[in-house]
Protein backbone atom coordinates (compact mmCIF):
# COMPACT_ATOMS: atom_id res chain seq x y z
CA UNK A 1 0.00 0.00 0.00
CA UNK A 2 1.21 3.46 -0.82
CA UNK A 3 1.38 5.81 2.13
CA UNK A 4 -1.05 8.74 2.18
CA UNK A 5 1.12 10.40 4.77
CA UNK A 6 3.48 12.72 2.96
CA UNK A 7 7.21 13.09 2.99
CA UNK A 8 6.89 16.55 4.54
CA UNK A 9 5.40 14.99 7.67
CA UNK A 10 8.20 12.43 7.71
CA UNK A 11 10.73 15.27 7.53
CA UNK A 12 8.89 17.09 10.32
CA UNK A 13 8.99 14.01 12.56
CA UNK A 14 12.68 13.48 11.81
CA UNK A 15 13.38 17.06 12.88
CA UNK A 16 11.67 16.90 16.26
CA UNK A 17 14.08 17.47 19.10
CA UNK A 18 12.43 14.86 21.33
CA UNK A 19 12.61 12.05 18.77
CA UNK A 20 15.65 9.96 18.03
CA UNK A 21 16.23 8.99 14.39
CA UNK A 22 15.76 5.34 15.31
CA UNK A 23 12.32 5.83 16.81
CA UNK A 24 11.15 8.02 13.93
CA UNK A 25 12.42 5.41 11.47
CA UNK A 26 10.25 2.79 13.16
CA UNK A 27 7.17 5.04 12.81
CA UNK A 28 7.98 5.85 9.20
CA UNK A 29 8.48 2.14 8.49
CA UNK A 30 5.05 1.32 9.89
CA UNK A 31 3.48 4.10 7.84
CA UNK A 32 5.16 2.86 4.66
CA UNK A 33 4.07 -0.70 5.42
CA UNK A 34 0.45 -0.01 6.35
CA UNK A 35 -0.01 3.39 4.76
CA UNK A 36 -2.58 5.42 6.67
CA UNK A 37 -2.92 8.13 9.27
CA UNK A 38 -4.43 5.84 11.88
CA UNK A 39 -1.22 3.81 11.70
CA UNK A 40 0.85 6.94 12.30
CA UNK A 41 -1.17 7.79 15.41
CA UNK A 42 -0.96 4.24 16.73
CA UNK A 43 2.81 4.08 16.19
CA UNK A 44 3.24 7.56 17.71
CA UNK A 45 1.33 6.64 20.86
CA UNK A 46 3.42 3.48 21.24
CA UNK A 47 6.59 5.52 20.84
CA UNK A 48 5.45 8.03 23.44
CA UNK A 49 4.67 5.31 25.99
CA UNK A 50 8.21 3.97 25.58
CA UNK A 51 10.14 7.23 25.24
CA UNK A 52 8.64 10.01 27.37
CA UNK A 53 10.48 10.14 30.69
CA UNK A 54 10.99 12.97 33.17
CA UNK A 55 14.38 13.91 31.72
CA UNK A 56 13.07 14.10 28.16
CA UNK A 57 9.57 15.49 28.74
CA UNK A 58 10.60 19.08 28.00
CA UNK A 59 12.05 18.03 24.64
CA UNK A 60 8.82 16.20 23.82
CA UNK A 61 6.78 19.30 24.68
CA UNK A 62 8.96 21.31 22.30
CA UNK A 63 8.43 18.69 19.60
CA UNK A 64 4.68 18.81 20.15
CA UNK A 65 4.70 22.60 19.87
CA UNK A 66 6.53 22.25 16.55
CA UNK A 67 3.90 19.79 15.32
CA UNK A 68 1.06 21.97 16.57
CA UNK A 69 2.41 24.98 14.69
CA UNK A 70 2.84 23.06 11.44
CA UNK A 71 1.22 24.74 8.46
CA UNK A 72 1.62 22.09 5.78
CA UNK A 73 -1.02 19.89 4.21
CA UNK A 74 -1.01 17.28 6.99
CA UNK A 75 -1.86 19.87 9.63
CA UNK A 76 -4.80 17.89 11.00
CA UNK A 77 -2.58 14.87 11.55
CA UNK A 78 0.13 17.04 13.11
CA UNK A 79 -2.42 18.37 15.60
CA UNK A 80 -3.47 14.82 16.49
CA UNK A 81 0.18 13.89 17.02
CA UNK A 82 0.64 16.96 19.22
CA UNK A 83 -2.43 16.08 21.30
CA UNK A 84 -1.17 12.53 21.83
CA UNK A 85 2.25 13.89 22.74
CA UNK A 86 0.92 16.33 25.30
CA UNK A 87 -1.23 13.62 26.86
CA UNK A 88 1.83 11.36 27.20
CA UNK A 89 3.89 14.16 28.71
CA UNK A 90 1.14 14.81 31.26
CA UNK A 91 1.66 11.30 32.58
CA UNK A 92 5.16 12.45 33.57
CA UNK A 93 4.41 16.09 34.37
CA UNK A 94 1.81 15.50 37.04
CA UNK A 95 0.22 18.41 38.87
CA UNK A 96 1.79 17.27 42.14
CA UNK A 97 5.33 16.59 40.94
CA UNK A 98 5.82 19.34 38.33
CA UNK A 99 3.07 21.94 38.82
CA UNK A 100 4.49 24.64 36.54
CA UNK A 101 5.33 22.24 33.70
CA UNK A 102 1.96 20.55 34.15
CA UNK A 103 0.13 23.89 33.81
CA UNK A 104 2.12 24.92 30.73
CA UNK A 105 1.52 21.55 29.08
CA UNK A 106 -2.20 21.76 29.89
CA UNK A 107 -2.30 25.16 28.15
CA UNK A 108 -0.55 23.75 25.09
CA UNK A 109 -2.96 20.81 25.04
CA UNK A 110 -5.94 23.17 25.26
CA UNK A 111 -4.61 25.18 22.32
CA UNK A 112 -4.13 22.02 20.28
CA UNK A 113 -7.70 20.92 21.05
CA UNK A 114 -8.97 24.37 20.08
CA UNK A 115 -7.14 24.22 16.75
CA UNK A 116 -8.02 20.60 16.04
CA UNK A 117 -9.35 20.00 12.56
CA UNK A 118 -12.04 17.34 12.24
Amino acid sequence: ARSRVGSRLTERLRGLRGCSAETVDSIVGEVARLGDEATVLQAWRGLLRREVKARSAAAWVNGCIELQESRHIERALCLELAVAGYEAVLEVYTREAYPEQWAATQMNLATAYRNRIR
Side-chain angles (χ1 to χ4, degrees), residues 37-76:
E37 292 181 7
T39 303
V40 176
L41 283 168
Q42 181 180 13
W44 181 251
R45 286 186 180 110
L47 165 73
L48 293 167
R49 280 192 298 277
R50 291 189 308 273
E51 298 290 323
V52 175
K53 308 287 186 252
R55 63 181 172 79
S56 66
W60 281 101
V61 168
N62 289 334
C64 291
I65 290 169
E66 291 175 32
L67 284 168
Q68 184 175 330
E69 293 175 350
S70 177
R71 298 286 180 234
H72 61 76
I73 196 156
E74 288 112 359
R75 183 157 192 269

Side-chain angles (χ1 to χ4, degrees), residues 1-17:
R2 189 169 185 273
S3 175
R4 293 184 308 215
V5 179
S7 62
R8 289 169 63 186
L9 177 60
T10 300
E11 290 172 23
R12 171 68 89 186
L13 290 174
R14 288 188 196 284
L16 293 179
R17 291 172 285 210

